[in-house]
């Protein structure tokens, strides 16, 4: 059952120092539909100009921002996604609602620097060091369903790999 907390936990690995999952609030900042750019085509196995949804969000715990996410999803796999009332946050639930079961995600972890825009959202100085999580989620039938780049300022939290 892909709806269990254990399986959904594959996609939320930010933890408190004691190992407990961070259960913060996610604010959707922007949702757009547009033509896929070169990086989206590469990461999602799309053709140039295929339509994608782009979602930007900020995750907060106790009111403090700790992560900015930029998500791209192929519109052809989720045709009614932008018509729903409120944007669903959980990729497992979104995929399952559209007949897709998720396999194991592929995630790259690196260190980056906060751009001025990301710094403003995270309340850090521009060029501050951040953890960058670059994840692609793939359905069991081989469709690339989501590309997420999360920029994290994890002062009191950690990422469980």
């Amino acid at each position: 059952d892909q709806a269990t907390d254990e399986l959904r936990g594959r996609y939320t690995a930010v933890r408190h120092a004691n190992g407990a999952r961070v259960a913060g609030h996610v604010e959707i900042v922007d949702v757009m539909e547009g033509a896929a750019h070169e990086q989206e085509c590469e990461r999602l196995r799309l053709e140039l100009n295929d339509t994608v949804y782009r979602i930007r969000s900020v995750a907060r715990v106790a009111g403090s921002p700790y992560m900015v996410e930029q998500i791209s999803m192929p519109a052809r796999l989720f045709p009614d996604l932008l018509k729903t009332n409120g944007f669903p946050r959980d990729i497992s639930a979104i995929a399952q609602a559209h007949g897709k079961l998720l396999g194991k995600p592929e995630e790259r972890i690196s260190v980056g620097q906060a751009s001025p825009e990301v710094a403003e959202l995270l309340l850090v100085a521009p060029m501050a060091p951040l953890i960058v999580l670059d994840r692609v989620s793939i359905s069991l039938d081989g469709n690339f369903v989501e590309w997420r780049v999360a920029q994290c300022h994890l002062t009191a939290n950690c990422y469980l790999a």
Side-chain angles (χ1 to χ4, degrees):
D1 177 14
Q2 294 238 331
T4 65
D5 284 341
E6 181 180 329
L7 287 175
R8 284 187 179 166
R10 294 180 296 185
Y11 302 97
T12 56
V14 177
R15 305 297 173 111
H16 292 287
N18 66 5
R21 184 172 288 119
V22 170
H25 169 74
V26 177
E27 171 192 353
I28 303 296
V29 176
D30 194 27
V31 178
M32 297 174 27
E33 183 175 348
H37 57 63
E38 192 173 324
Q39 278 188 301
E40 288 168 326
C41 290
E42 178 186 328
R43 298 295 283 145
L44 291 169
R45 309 297 192 267
L46 299 173
E47 297 294 323
L48 203 55
N49 296 320
D50 281 354
T51 303
V52 294
Y53 301 130
R54 294 185 187 101
I55 303 95
R56 176 172 265 190
S57 63
V58 176
R60 302 174 190 280
V61 64
S64 297
Y66 68 91
M67 180 167 55
V68 173
E69 292 181 303
Q70 179 68 45
I71 298 169
S72 298
M73 302 170 70
R76 68 176 168 73
L77 296 179
F78 309 102
D80 298 327
L81 193 59
L82 297 186
K83 295 177 185 169
T84 61
N85 184 15
F87 191 84
R89 176 66 194 89
D90 182 352
I91 184 57
S92 298
I94 293 169
Q96 193 168 21
H98 289 84
K100 302 287 179 201
L101 297 178
L102 297 180
K104 185 176 179 178
E106 295 176 0
E107 190 156 41
R108 302 171 185 174
I109 303 171
S110 61
V111 176
Q113 296 177 323
S115 67
E117 183 181 6
V118 169
E120 184 177 334
L121 291 169
L122 289 176
L123 306 177
V124 298
M127 306 301 287
L130 301 175
I131 294 174
V132 179
L133 309 171
D134 182 322
R135 179 187 74 202
V136 176
S137 299
I138 306 166
S139 66
L140 291 178
D141 63 1
N143 284 294
F144 285 64
V145 299
E146 177 201 52
W147 175 38
R148 179 198 74 162
V149 177
Q151 298 177 70
C152 309
H153 185 63
L154 301 176
T155 55
N157 301 311
C158 63
Y159 188 81
L160 182 65

